[in-house]
């Protein structure tokens, strides 16, 4: 069986071949034979993508259930990570006064109620990194942290229609005050649900239980965050980007599950050029992505351009569109010259569904309040089953602060 890297190299070669055909045969040079050649290459690329996805899923499942081994000397025994690991295994009573002082020095708040533990910033940052890996919202949005969770009104101002003036000598300048507004950016409490760990694993000092538990809690919080940052209603939960964006294009009658080339053109140009920056991108579900990959322009040339560059191929970090190679979620490929990201919390094609959004996602603001707080349960409900329970709480919110920056495509109602 070929490795993932070998499959990616093979995919890159096929994509490069397809791109060369497209680049060398523009306008009148394009013939049905070229279309057949490209269609064949695209089918091979899609088959390779399927192999890569299956292998990546197998690796993901293997890693999810894999318990890393701690080697002697891997962790400084006085580091926050080591002390946090000690607390995970043995609880509050295992930490000395000096240990607690080290912990408090790297926390934004003091220890919570009995059984609680405010995660040190060193650990908290890696937990938030784990949360970024689900969907794409934490990768594309602008994320910031506040010292408390009080209600916050985020200031907004749209200056796209404001222009200066040409003025003669000794003539008084005209006044034009900018218009300011505010958007609520409140935070909401999220639970990871309780993770129960067998006591045997906690007693085995070679198992990196801290990393295992942190990763699992981060995955759960990341998934619920991404759901709400994508389609949240804004009532008792964050307002998602699909919910908060304004209409860019509505499909014509009959397009309840489809989209056409003209829709994409209109959607892109519904966003003011001031917002069509290097950070602009598309976001959709895998279900609509399948439809988009089959679209062709008036010359029967595919709209989806398979990227052969190592930085753009699916599953590899990108250095395109303002997103660095350190981003947790890489763009799938390019559509009309813009990166397109798959987020399966977006609506699938259906009547009235907002299945595709486009624009500058940095205008979606994600707010995290304080650090994550974790609780360790060693009461009889768990001990009698030979387990210790762990639960994480986080406070996060999100909102699109400028509805002109991101627009959506909505399918027809009928």
């Amino acid at each position: 069986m070929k490795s993932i890297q070998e499959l990616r190299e093979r995919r890159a070669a096929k994509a490069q071949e397809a791109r060369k055909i497209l680049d060398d045969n523009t306008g009148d040079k394009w013939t049905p034979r070229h279309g057949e050649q490209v269609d064949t290459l695209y089918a091979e690329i899609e088959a390779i993508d399927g192999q890569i996805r299956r292998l990546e899923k197998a690796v993901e499942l293997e890693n999810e259930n894999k318990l890393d081994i701690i080697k002697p000397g891997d962790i400084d025994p006085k580091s926050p990570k080591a002390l946090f690991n000690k607390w995970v295994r043995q609880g509050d009573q295992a930490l000395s006064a000096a240990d607690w002082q080290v912990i408090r020095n790297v926390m934004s708040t003091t220890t919570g109620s009995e059984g609680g533990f405010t995660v040190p910033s060193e650990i908290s940052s890696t937990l938030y990194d784990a949360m970024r890996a689900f969907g794409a919202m934490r990768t594309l949005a602008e994320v910031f942290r506040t010292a408390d969770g009080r209600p916050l009104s985020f200031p907004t101002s749209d200056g796209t229609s404001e222009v200066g003036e040409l003025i003669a000598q000794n003539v008084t300048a005209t006044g034009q005050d900018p218009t300011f507004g505010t958007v609520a950016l409140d935070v909401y409490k999220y639970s990871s649900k309780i993770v129960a760990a067998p006591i045997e694993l906690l007693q085995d000092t070679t198992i990196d239980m801290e990393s295992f538990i942190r990763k699992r809690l981060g995955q759960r919080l990341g998934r619920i965050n991404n759901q709400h940052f994508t389609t949240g209603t804004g009532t008792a939960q964050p307002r998602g980007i699909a919910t908060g964006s304004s209409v860019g294009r509505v499909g014509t009658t009959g397009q309840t599950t489809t989209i056409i080339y003209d829709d994409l053109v209109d959607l892109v140009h519904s966003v003011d050029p001031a917002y069509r920056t290097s950070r602009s991108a598309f976001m959709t579900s895998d279900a609509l992505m399948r439809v988009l990959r089959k679209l062709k322009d008036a010359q029967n040339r595919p709209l989806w351009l398979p990227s052969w560059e190592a930085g753009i191929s699916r599953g590899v970090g990108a250095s395109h569109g303002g997103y660095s190679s350190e981003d947790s979620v890489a763009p799938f490929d390019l559509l009309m010259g813009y990166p397109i990201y798959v987020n399966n919390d977006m609506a699938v094609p259906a009547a009235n569904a907002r299945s595709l959004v486009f624009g500058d996602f940095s205008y979606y603001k994600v707010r995290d309040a304080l650090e994550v707080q974790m609780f360790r349960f060693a009461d009889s409900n768990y001990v009698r089953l030979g387990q210790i329970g762990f639960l994480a709480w986080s406070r996060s919110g999100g909102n699109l602060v400028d509805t002109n920056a991101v627009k959506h495509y909505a399918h027809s109602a009928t």
Side-chain angles (χ1 to χ4, degrees):
M1 180 181 292
K2 292 184 180 294
S3 68
I4 293 178
Q5 183 58 37
E6 289 174 325
L7 288 171
R8 285 176 178 162
E9 291 172 356
R10 183 180 171 192
R11 181 198 191 278
K14 297 288 184 183
Q16 189 172 9
E17 186 178 348
R19 288 290 295 274
K20 189 175 189 307
I21 294 173
L22 290 167
D23 292 339
D24 292 348
N25 299 282
T26 58
D28 295 338
K29 293 182 178 180
W30 186 259
T31 66
R33 181 176 61 84
H34 294 131
E36 292 173 2
Q37 290 174 336
V38 170
D39 286 343
T40 298
L41 288 168
Y42 276 20
E44 293 174 356
I45 290 171
E46 187 166 3
I48 295 171
D49 281 342
Q51 289 180 277
I52 293 174
R53 283 194 296 270
R54 288 189 289 274
L55 282 174
E56 287 178 336
K57 185 63 177 178
V59 172
E60 179 185 339
L61 292 173
E62 181 181 354
N63 289 337
E64 188 171 324
N65 296 313
K66 179 182 177 182
L67 298 176
D68 294 332
I69 304 300
I70 302 177
K71 298 178 182 177
D74 278 354
I75 304 175
D76 179 356
K78 291 299 182 182
S79 67
K81 178 179 174 65
L83 295 178
F84 185 66
N85 186 56
K86 187 177 181 181
W87 174 80
V88 165
R89 294 177 185 281
Q90 302 173 43
D92 291 358
Q93 69 280 0
L95 299 183
S96 66
D99 292 340
W100 281 115
Q101 186 58 49
V102 171
I103 293 298
R104 292 190 179 99
N105 286 340
V106 292
M107 294 191 310
S108 59
T109 59
T110 56
T111 309
S113 58
E114 183 178 356
F117 189 92
T118 303
V119 180
S121 54
E122 175 185 310
I123 307 299
S124 182
S125 62
T126 57
L127 195 148
Y128 279 121
D129 284 342
M131 293 164 68
R132 289 178 64 200
F134 294 93
M137 287 306 299
R138 278 188 175 270
T139 293
L140 302 183
E142 181 178 302
V143 182
F144 67 96
R145 189 173 300 174
T146 55
D148 57 51
R150 287 177 291 184
L152 173 66
S153 294
F154 197 93
T156 63
S157 179
D158 180 7
T160 54
S161 62
E162 298 175 4
V163 295
E165 62 180 348
L166 176 66
I167 196 165
Q169 286 185 330
N170 303 317
V171 176
T172 302
T174 305
Q176 184 182 15
D177 294 331
T179 302
F180 291 94
T182 58
V183 171
L185 200 55
D186 299 335
V187 293
Y188 303 89
K189 185 167 68 173
Y190 286 94
S191 157
S192 65
K193 297 183 180 179
I194 297 173
V195 171
I199 291 176
E200 293 83 354
L201 287 180
L202 298 176
Q203 291 173 338
D204 189 340
T205 57
T206 64
I207 300 298
D208 190 356
M209 285 304 299
E210 178 273 325
S211 294
F212 173 78
I213 292 171
R214 170 169 45 82
K215 180 180 178 182
R216 186 59 57 88
L217 298 179
Q219 288 173 342
R220 294 182 179 185
L221 290 172
R223 288 189 180 100
I224 186 63
N225 273 188
N226 195 75
Q227 287 178 23
H228 288 162
F229 296 158
T230 304
T231 58
T233 64
T235 301
Q237 61 183 243
R239 186 164 167 245
I241 197 162
T243 307
S245 59
S246 51
V247 177
R249 172 70 176 174
V250 177
T252 58
T253 300
Q255 289 182 217
T256 54
T257 59
T258 59
I259 188 171
I260 60 176
Y261 172 66
D262 289 355
D263 294 330
L264 296 177
V265 173
D266 289 342
L267 177 60
V268 168
H269 288 276
S270 70
V271 176
D272 190 279
Y275 297 104
R276 292 205 307 268
T277 67
S278 62
R279 291 193 62 86
S280 294
F282 289 98
M283 180 185 290
T284 189
S285 68
D286 194 55
L288 185 62
M289 185 68 211
R290 183 180 182 88
V291 175
L292 293 172
R293 292 177 73 173
K294 297 177 181 179
L295 288 182
K296 294 180 172 63
D297 63 15
Q299 293 178 302
N300 208 36
R301 288 162 50 90
L303 292 183
W304 170 63
L305 299 181
S307 301
W308 57 269
E309 298 92 337
I312 302 297
S313 297
R314 182 183 182 278
V316 183
S319 179
H320 178 90
Y323 304 103
S324 72
S325 59
E326 296 178 356
D327 291 329
S328 297
V329 179
F332 190 98
D333 259 306
L334 300 180
L335 180 66
M336 300 183 69
Y338 293 97
I340 180 165
Y341 287 78
V342 173
N343 176 357
N344 274 333
D345 286 318
M346 287 286 296
V348 299
N352 292 318
R354 301 178 178 186
S355 62
L356 179 69
V357 289
F358 171 81
D360 187 343
F361 288 84
S362 68
Y363 285 90
Y364 191 89
K365 310 296 181 182
V366 170
R367 176 191 175 194
D368 296 317
L370 302 168
E371 306 284 356
V372 177
Q373 190 172 52
M374 185 183 293
F375 285 79
R376 183 182 192 274
F377 304 107
D379 56 60
S380 59
N381 289 328
Y382 292 93
V383 174
R384 66 185 178 185
L385 297 175
Q387 300 172 338
I388 299 294
F390 295 92
L391 171 68
W393 297 100
S394 68
R395 299 174 69 190
S396 300
N399 207 340
L400 181 62
V401 300
D402 191 338
T403 57
N404 293 314
V406 179
K407 301 292 183 75
H408 66 257
Y409 168 78
H411 292 273
S412 172
T414 57

